[in-house]
Amino acid sequence: MSGLLAPWTDGGATGSLHVIGASGAEGVALLLFLVDELGLQGVVAHDFSVDQRAFARSFRKANTAWERPEREAILKRLLRLPIELRLGDQYLRGLDDAQLIFASQNWFNYPSNLPALPDAVAAGAQLRGVVDLAMDLFPGVRVGVTGSNGKSTTAGLVAWMLRAALPQGSRLLHGGNDRDAQVALADLRGASSADRLVWEVSNRHLRDRVVPVDVGVLTNITRNHIEDHGSFEAYVAAKARLLLGTGPRGQAVLTAGDPHSQELLPSVREHVGTVWVAGAPSDEPEDGSVWLDGDAVLLRRPGASGVESVGDASTFTLPGAHNRQNLLSAVAGAVAAGAEVKALEAAWSRFPALPGRLELVAEHEGVRWVYDIQATTAPAAEAGIRAIGGDRTTVLVVGGADKGMDYSGMAEAAGRHCRAVVALPGTGSDAFLAAAPELPRVLADDLDAGLAQARGLAQPGDTVLVSPGCAFFSSRFVAGRNFHGRVRALLGTA
């Protein structure tokens, strides 16, 4: 085996191999692959848990993709692995001779990891994550999708269209941030050069390294995650790494209407082999372009003069101008990865809304209930408000923490389209309400009370839109309880 694991599979390792966060979804996937699948010896696993009972509790909380019987079987399998498991006060002991350390993308936000992990890197260890191993293992074309907003939908669309539009004999694999829908590392290892991998790449993956892909798609950049990067400029640089890392033989997709993406264009053109612009015809003849003429999706391939008709965007059912832009970026990414153009429209016309992204969960007494829980930034919530408010009046539910965002655009959209806002507690709610002083509002202490207030405010023909526009809404107000069930219980349709 070549790449990251070669020193261990070939017997040439001079240091130790460690997995940090052994009970988490990424840690479990890594340990099962490294030890159970590859049979590597001497792997050291670390976890915050104070003992094995606490480790089991943490495992059950983090690994929700499996049903309970399978989850318990995997836990037993994990605990039987021939690894050294360091818990409690033994956490991070023995990194002195570390050669390779795998950690979750969020490792730097845990004080217990500091300064031990940076010190180990300074001493010569490689610090990597599951995405790095995934890209290292996969022999086919790798498509990475990142962006402040729309990356999950765009990555899902690229995968959906590639699945339908690849040449016969090619397989599509899809992974990324959704812990409940991960591709197995063993499947990546067993793939062929004719296969395609689509991966949703977060800002944290890119914080201190390049994620090697062959096609990089950047949806947009808005002010977010400053706490992870230290400055907006560093955040922009992290997003740019996905595109620049494709290199002279790679392809990069940028959005025409996003100013920060456009600022990256000169550097991307200098360092990347092929550039695609999604949203308008590029003025650079060597670029590829995908754009709309009315409802017609048009495409011009890199270096070509002819224009191809891809399909009718009106058959794409996700609402809003932002989702049309997601569609254009996805078409560019799919074609760059080898999709057959003639198959794309039939695929996108069947693409379903992703859970928690402008998801219609109920319609009762003329009122629609739409769940947009993933809109945890002001720009994302603004896009959702405009998408739903095109032909319906909205009762908006917001809440959560402020991350230093500009709420003026969200406030303007709400003033145009919302009958009222139901505000749950949080500094983000306060910042949004301050930006929209004329907007009628009611306050609620929790989500159930907020939904009841929204029901009382909504009139037939309205939409109740849960689009928080703030951070930590899910962990603070949803807390594992099923939103669909809450709404059905409130409406008496359970």
Side-chain angles (χ1 to χ4, degrees), residues 5 74 125 186 200 211 332 388 447:
L5 298 179
I74 289 173
E200 180 188 346
V211 174
I388 296 299
L447 183 54

Side-chain angles (χ1 to χ4, degrees), residues 84-102:
E84 184 173 348
L85 184 58
R86 296 180 180 170
L87 306 176
D89 60 5
Q90 295 300 305
Y91 181 69
L92 298 191
R93 295 287 179 89
L95 293 183
D96 296 348
D97 70 338
Q99 185 174 345
L100 177 60
I101 302 170
F102 286 108

Side-chain angles (χ1 to χ4, degrees), residues 165 309-310 339-346:
S309 176
V310 184
E340 297 176 352
V341 167
K342 63 183 180 181
L344 295 182
E345 181 186 356

Side-chain angles (χ1 to χ4, degrees), residues 97-121:
D97 70 338
Q99 185 174 345
L100 177 60
I101 302 170
F102 286 108
S104 72
Q105 60 176 290
N106 198 28
W107 67 267
F108 53 89
N109 278 325
Y110 294 97
S112 299
N113 290 333
L114 305 173
L117 292 186
D119 287 350
V121 172

Side-chain angles (χ1 to χ4, degrees), residues 227-398:
E227 71 282 4
D228 289 338
H229 297 269
S231 69
F232 181 62
E233 292 72 21
Y235 174 66
V236 172
K239 292 297 188 184
R241 284 190 191 101
L242 185 73
L243 306 184
L244 297 173
T246 62
R249 300 177 64 183
Q251 302 190 65
V253 179
L254 298 93
T255 297
D258 178 58
H260 296 297
S261 298
Q262 289 300 295
E263 289 172 3
L264 296 175
L265 257 177
S267 178
V268 173
R269 284 182 176 135
E270 179 182 354
H271 293 96
V272 177
T274 302
V275 172
W276 291 79
V277 175
S282 174
D283 56 6
E284 171 55 58
E286 294 305 309
D287 291 350
S289 301
V290 181
W291 70 97
L292 285 172
D293 183 359
D295 286 330
V297 179
L298 303 178
L299 178 145
R300 188 183 70 217
R301 295 180 185 271
S305 57
V307 174
E308 301 174 49
S309 176
V310 184
D312 183 353
S314 69
T315 64
F316 182 56
T317 60
L318 300 194
H322 68 297
N323 273 321
R324 286 204 163 194
Q325 178 58 58
N326 292 337
L327 173 63
L328 299 178
S329 296
V331 167
V335 173
E340 297 176 352
V341 167
K342 63 183 180 181
L344 295 182
E345 181 186 356
W348 79 53
S349 67
R350 300 190 301 272
F351 183 73
L354 299 183
R357 293 169 176 85
L358 292 180
E359 179 189 6
L360 178 64
V361 300
E363 189 162 2
H364 183 69
E365 296 179 347
V367 176
R368 293 180 181 176
W369 294 74
V370 174
Y371 192 42
D372 197 27
I373 186 65
Q374 299 299 330
T376 57
T377 67
E382 177 188 350
I385 294 166
R386 294 190 189 280
I388 296 299
D391 57 358
R392 297 175 72 92
T393 302
T394 300
V395 176
L396 178 66
V397 180
V398 303

